[in-house]
Amino acid sequence: MKEIQQDIDAVGRIDAISLILEVVCRTTGMGFSAVARVTDDKWITCAVRDEIAFGLVPGSELKLETTICNEIRQHHNPVVIDHVALDVDFAQHHTPAIYGFQSYISFPITLKNGSFFGTLCAIDPNPAHLKNTQVMGMFKLFADLIAFHLDTQEKVASTEMELLEARKTAQLRDQFIAILGHDLGNPVGAILNVSQLLLRMPLDERTKRLANILQNSSYRMKALIENILDFARGRLGEGIILKRNDNEPIAEMLEQVIAELAILWPDRTINTNFRVKCAISCDGRRVSQVLSNLLGNAIAHGSKDTPVNVDVVCDADDFSISVTNSGSQIPDAIREKLFEPFSRGDDQGKDGLGLGLYIAAEIARAHSGTLTVKSDEHSTAFTFKMPVN
């Protein structure tokens, strides 16, 4: 019954409903008009205009089987009777006999999703002239108007629910980001700092090896947390946020990234080619993040016996970073999904969540640029490219 009451309330919230029922009575000369909610087992009035003391008010119920509306519920067609006594189909029908009317008109109210809500109907103990274009057109219009208002209310309610869920999601996002950024990020940063301090001290070989393991693991943990943070912001919140600088010292920032990775991978050779002589409008920290991701992947996945090449080029129109490593070709099926979140190729033994390339691609997109990959049997090259301004 709760759902029925909600339907009654929904019809009652339609500002024009009283005027619609009044126009129905005035236009047809009939004394009773109503909007009825008709279900598989109930007929209940939602709104009523009663000038003949029929005795129904909003919420009143008639036995479903005694109503013509029950038949309309089944065939979804309007029923119009000018004079019951002269009507071939309804002269012997049980409903007019039970309720004592001679004229009757009822049009189905069908919602946008195709479901049957009920009827807009009118009755009178006297005959009426109803089977004409004007009256039937008016009923059709009013029935559609009522359905429109009901659909609109449903849409508004759904939107309000979505907004509530969005607020809950935003709150969860903020809590999630706070945990990652502070509660996890800070201790990992502290561990990384301790490991770096240890490596500056005179240590025996075993302790130095342990300090290196601690540093490398902390660096990977820090990168994982940053990637998850970016993914959470992108999927749950505002996306990749840029802090552009019109004259970013990008070459120095990228060289710092390369120096840091060279310390972490002392046995690997990194060849660099910088041709940057123009000003770049970009978020240097984010562009550095792209290089860190691409270079880290190239070192981890490339051939260990050959160098990794980093080319940074700026011309009048574009700025690009290309990272190339030797090694086996990336299969087409894997290459097509490389920039999707949680895609790690077919090497499940490697560290990471498969978010790095996705985030790098999002950073490129935020800079109105692209991140592409070319791979053959000899080498694999990732290229970040963006307009200079």
Side-chain angles (χ1 to χ4, degrees):
M1 193 62 186
K2 181 179 178 181
E3 292 182 358
I4 295 294
Q5 186 58 53
Q6 290 174 345
D7 293 333
I8 294 172
D9 294 341
V11 172
R13 284 193 295 268
I14 300 174
D15 292 336
I17 198 67
S18 295
L19 182 59
I20 288 173
L21 297 181
E22 180 181 356
V23 171
V24 164
C25 290
R26 294 288 179 265
T27 303
T28 62
M30 304 173 80
F32 177 91
S33 60
V35 174
R37 177 68 171 107
V38 185
T39 68
D40 292 344
D41 57 0
K42 290 184 181 297
W43 186 104
I44 296 178
T45 52
C46 296
V48 179
R49 183 177 181 86
D50 188 1
E51 300 175 358
I52 57 173
F54 192 64
L56 298 182
V57 296
S60 296
E61 183 174 353
L62 298 179
K63 190 174 181 180
L64 180 65
E65 292 76 13
T66 67
T67 68
I68 296 176
C69 294
N70 183 42
E71 299 169 23
I72 296 174
R73 177 185 63 82
Q74 299 173 54
H75 57 60
H76 288 210
N77 294 315
V79 172
V80 183
I81 309 170
D82 283 345
H83 192 176
V84 170
L86 302 178
D87 192 287
V88 175
D89 297 321
F90 290 93
Q92 303 302 319
H93 196 280
H94 62 277
T95 298
I98 292 172
Y99 297 112
F101 60 79
Q102 284 298 314
S103 54
Y104 175 92
I105 182 170
S106 182
F107 270 66
I109 299 172
T110 305
L111 302 180
K112 188 176 182 179
N113 62 10
S115 64
F116 178 80
F117 178 85
T119 60
L120 171 63
C121 56
I123 63 171
D124 195 87
N126 299 310
H129 184 50
L130 305 174
K131 291 184 178 180
N132 61 75
T133 304
Q134 289 80 7
V135 171
M136 295 176 67
M138 177 188 69
F139 263 78
K140 177 67 166 63
L141 176 63
F142 284 161
D144 290 346
L145 182 61
I146 293 168
F148 170 79
H149 279 285
L150 292 172
D151 283 324
T152 300
Q153 289 187 41
E154 179 68 25
K155 187 176 295 184
V156 169
S158 176
T159 300
E160 290 175 347
M161 182 63 69
E162 289 174 0
L163 288 173
L164 180 61
E165 290 299 321
R167 282 194 288 269
K168 291 180 179 178
T169 299
Q171 184 179 17
L172 178 62
R173 175 202 67 205
D174 293 340
Q175 293 172 347
F176 181 68
I177 291 174
I179 290 171
L180 285 174
H182 184 271
D183 295 354
L184 292 180
N186 284 357
V188 169
I191 295 170
L192 181 59
N193 291 336
V194 169
S195 65
Q196 291 172 341
L197 286 173
L198 285 173
L199 288 170
R200 295 186 187 132
M201 299 177 181
L203 304 171
D204 58 64
E205 286 302 315
R206 181 175 181 276
T207 306
K208 186 177 181 180
R209 187 170 64 253
L210 292 174
N212 273 314
I213 293 172
L214 188 64
Q215 175 184 255
N216 294 345
S217 297
S218 299
Y219 182 85
R220 286 196 299 271
M221 288 171 66
K222 185 171 179 287
L224 285 171
I225 291 171
E226 289 176 351
N227 284 342
I228 296 173
L229 272 170
D230 284 333
F231 180 75
R233 292 190 184 106
R235 285 300 178 93
L236 301 176
E238 66 272 21
I240 297 293
I241 299 298
L242 300 183
K243 295 181 180 179
R244 284 181 177 267
N245 185 342
D246 290 338
N247 193 18
E248 195 77 273
I250 195 65
E252 297 176 14
M253 300 177 76
L254 297 181
E255 286 170 350
Q256 179 64 30
V257 170
I258 294 170
E260 290 175 356
L261 287 173
I263 292 173
L264 291 171
W265 301 85
D267 298 332
R268 299 299 303 274
T269 300
I270 304 173
N271 295 331
T272 60
N273 174 30
F274 277 69
R275 288 178 287 164
V276 182
K277 297 181 179 179
C278 54
I280 308 293
S281 175
C282 68
D283 184 332
R285 187 182 69 85
R286 288 296 191 180
V287 174
S288 298
Q289 186 179 352
V290 172
L291 175 60
S292 178
N293 181 278
L294 298 182
L295 184 53
N297 281 350
I299 293 172
H301 297 273
S303 173
K304 293 178 173 53
D305 301 325
T306 56
V308 175
N309 298 315
V310 179
D311 294 279
V312 181
V313 180
C314 178
D315 56 31
D317 299 316
D318 299 308
F319 169 77
S320 65
I321 301 172
S322 291
V323 179
T324 307
N325 64 272
S326 300
S328 57
Q329 182 176 0
I330 301 174
D332 292 343
I334 295 175
R335 190 167 68 244
E336 291 173 358
K337 297 181 178 179
L338 276 178
F339 302 122
E340 297 179 5
F342 305 111
S343 175
R344 292 171 44 185
D346 60 351
D347 193 349
Q348 298 298 320
K350 298 295 182 184
D351 295 317
L353 295 172
L355 290 174
L357 288 175
Y358 165 76
I359 292 166
E362 290 296 300
I363 293 172
R365 187 176 297 110
H367 281 89
S368 300
T370 59
L371 181 62
T372 57
V373 58
K374 291 183 179 180
S375 183
D376 57 29
E377 64 272 17
H378 303 296
S379 64
T380 294
F382 284 86
T383 300
F384 164 80
K385 188 173 184 180
M386 61 167 281
V388 170
N389 296 304

